[in-house]
Amino acid sequence: MNVSPEKIKQLRAEHGWSQEQLGEVAGLSYRTVQRVEKDGNGSPETIMAIASAFSVTPDELSMEYKPTIGNGAVNWSGILGLGLCVLFVAWMIFLAGKGTLFFDCISLVLVIGMSFALLAMTCGWKQALEVFSLVRWLFVEPSAAPFTQRHLPVLRKLIIYLYSSGGICTLFGLVAVFTSPETTSNNIYLGTTVAFLTMIYAAVIAELIIRPLKNKITYMLSFN
């Protein structure tokens, strides 16, 4: 069964896996993975195992990424989808009671700023700025954007860094709450809630903005 070696390499890069790691996830030997990436040939069982590791169909492994994507049109489905997500989040905040507890600019800046810094350390400032600017594609599609697949592994790193930043900021916040001499039994619950805001912000940005953007780009590269 024939597949695209380049597609497998790119999918591997998106997941941050080496050939050995792909083999472990797929239940294949390193030499088998190496041979498939080199020749583009493998048994149906081997291709199925690799496809399952990437959560794609075997047919998708034979497809090359499109050289350019997007027609510059307004992405009404993206606008509607994001609008509904905002509505549902607002509804959850309303159901939770005092909505003002869920808004803290400092926590938001900490999560975004630290995530950006980590991404810049890994991929460079230019790539980090470029990836953050891709959020606009949720509203307006690009116009014949070339080599867009290069953004996929960076977006995956950004999702990881968002959770890392949220977790670290939350831990520091909890330490500050429980060690501060000003903390009393009356304000400890409020302080704990504020400390967890960074983790909430990280999850919302990662799962409602960055991951949908990554999946949209993957879809456009493969199927449009």
Side-chain angles (χ1 to χ4, degrees), residues 67-82:
T68 60
I69 63 170
N71 55 14
V74 175
N75 182 17
W76 291 110
S77 59
I79 295 174
L80 177 61
L82 191 58

Side-chain angles (χ1 to χ4, degrees), residues 149-170:
Q149 65 271 15
R150 74 185 188 277
H151 298 307
L152 295 176
V154 184
L155 286 168
R156 182 177 177 275
K157 288 184 176 65
L158 178 56
I159 293 172
I160 296 172
Y161 291 153
L162 279 166
Y163 281 110
S164 300
S165 301
I168 291 171
C169 292
T170 295

Side-chain angles (χ1 to χ4, degrees), residues 103-136:
F103 298 100
D104 184 64
C105 291
I106 295 177
S107 297
L108 184 61
V109 170
L110 282 173
V111 169
I112 296 177
M114 187 175 293
S115 301
F116 177 81
L118 290 170
L119 195 63
M121 288 169 58
T122 306
C123 306
W125 292 101
K126 182 178 179 181
Q127 187 73 353
L129 286 170
E130 191 172 0
V131 164
F132 269 86
S133 71
L134 296 183
V135 174
R136 70 185 186 278

Side-chain angles (χ1 to χ4, degrees), residues 89-104 190 193-194 197 200-201:
V89 169
W91 190 12
M92 286 187 287
I93 292 175
F94 173 77
L95 293 175
K98 296 181 179 180
T100 54
L101 291 177
F102 289 89
F103 298 100
D104 184 64
L190 177 60
T193 300
V194 173
L197 279 182
I200 294 174
Y201 290 157

Side-chain angles (χ1 to χ4, degrees), residues 6 11 23 48 85 96 104 111 140 144 168 186 218:
E6 189 62 29
L11 285 170
M48 180 64 73
C85 288
D104 184 64
V111 169
V140 179
I168 291 171
N186 294 326
T218 301

